[in-house]
Amino acid sequence: DAGVIQSPRHEVTEMGQEVTLRCKPISGHDYLFWYRQTMMRGLELLIYFNNNVPIDDSGMPEDRFSAKMPNASFSTLKIQPSEPRDSAVYFCASSNQNLGYTFGSGTRLTVV
Amino acid sequence: GESVGLHLPTLSVQEGDNSIINCAYSNSASDYFIWYKQESGKGPQFIIDIRSNMDKRQGQRVTVLLNKTVKHLSLQIAATQPGDSAVYFCAENIYNQGGKLIFGQGTELSVKP
């Protein structure tokens, strides 16, 4: 298995632009998580899905952030409009029945 | 409330020595704990896990100890190597909340050759 695949690896965008981050979980995993990592706040859970259904989005910072999981093999995290304070590394992780959490390599987002 | 914290933000050890990284958690309902290693520019990598019905689990060169009485767990790395240099996170799984992981702040381990 190729593991959790995220794209792009790096994204630089101007303030106000829309940003879309993508994730392909491990086949057969029924949970998908989006995390954000910064020096100040560490690893924060933004949202997670179970069987493609959003379960807890309490970590999503504000309405500018949205996430979808249209099928078991794909998820997106969208920021619109982006702001400099959104600069961080965004990780996607997947797991099977609450165990075996595997992280992707992350997307480093820089908003200028 | 829920919180997972680490006692030491940085740890420096000599190559070949044993390393011990500590973690405290506050939610007695947690039943699953994971240690992750994160190298620069990479995502967290699973090291070892432990369920709350155990107090010790061993892997290759690593041992995790869980003390539920004081809500403490530790990661022991035997014969630390330069390749072990990374940030180590403990994570807490609150099963009745659907399996989301809550991460501690991380400890940076530096191994001197």
Side-chain angles (χ1 to χ4, degrees):
Chain A
D1 198 318
V4 176
I5 301 173
Q6 292 186 245
S7 64
R9 285 300 310 275
H10 303 274
E11 177 79 35
V12 181
T13 190
E14 292 185 345
M15 181 174 61
Q17 297 297 306
E18 177 181 295
V19 175
T20 300
L21 311 181
R22 297 173 175 79
C23 176
K24 176 178 168 53
I26 291 175
S27 177
H29 280 191
D30 56 352
Y31 281 86
L32 183 140
F33 305 82
W34 282 101
Y35 282 85
R36 178 172 68 176
Q37 186 175 37
T38 62
M39 290 294 292
M40 292 297 293
R41 294 186 296 272
L43 273 161
E44 304 173 278
L45 177 65
L46 300 177
I47 185 172
Y48 76 96
F49 297 82
N50 178 221
N51 293 322
N52 312 339
V53 176
I55 303 300
D56 184 352
D57 66 353
S58 60
M60 297 286 261
E62 47 197 277
D63 292 344
R64 297 185 297 106
F65 286 68
S66 63
K68 294 181 180 179
M69 193 167 185
N71 56 62
S73 60
F74 184 65
S75 177
T76 60
L77 177 67
K78 184 178 293 186
I79 308 173
Q80 166 64 18
S82 57
E83 298 182 2
R85 60 194 169 115
D86 301 330
S87 297
V89 181
Y90 291 80
F91 288 104
C92 176
S94 69
S95 72
N96 183 19
Q97 296 180 357
N98 297 356
L99 302 176
Y101 294 81
T102 302
F103 281 76
S105 298
T107 294
R108 180 174 294 277
L109 174 64
T110 303
V111 183
V112 298
Chain B
E2 310 163 8
S3 69
V4 178
L6 292 171
H7 293 165
L8 299 173
T10 60
L11 178 64
S12 183
V13 300
Q14 203 69 38
E15 181 178 0
D17 288 350
N18 296 334
S19 301
I20 299 176
I21 301 172
N22 296 302
C23 178
Y25 66 95
S26 63
N27 193 333
S28 58
S30 296
D31 67 349
Y32 181 54
F33 304 88
I34 309 175
W35 280 101
Y36 282 91
K37 172 186 180 182
Q38 187 176 24
E39 297 173 284
S40 180
K42 297 183 179 180
Q45 180 184 9
F46 175 93
I47 301 173
I48 191 168
D49 58 0
I50 188 166
R51 304 297 297 269
S52 60
N53 60 352
M54 304 170 67
D55 54 18
K56 180 179 180 179
R57 190 169 188 212
Q58 288 184 292
Q60 186 178 13
R61 286 201 304 118
V62 295
T63 300
V64 55
L65 300 177
L66 175 63
N67 185 331
K68 294 181 288 293
T69 301
V70 295
K71 300 188 184 68
H72 180 271
L73 70 160
S74 66
L75 176 70
Q76 301 179 1
I77 305 173
T80 314
Q81 303 169 0
D84 295 327
S85 295
V87 177
Y88 290 81
F89 295 92
C90 63
E92 173 181 12
N93 177 250
I94 306 171
Y95 194 85
N96 63 1
Q97 292 188 12
K100 64 181 182 181
L101 283 178
I102 305 298
F103 281 82
Q105 68 181 75
T107 292
E108 182 173 5
L109 175 65
S110 176
V111 182
K112 296 178 286 186

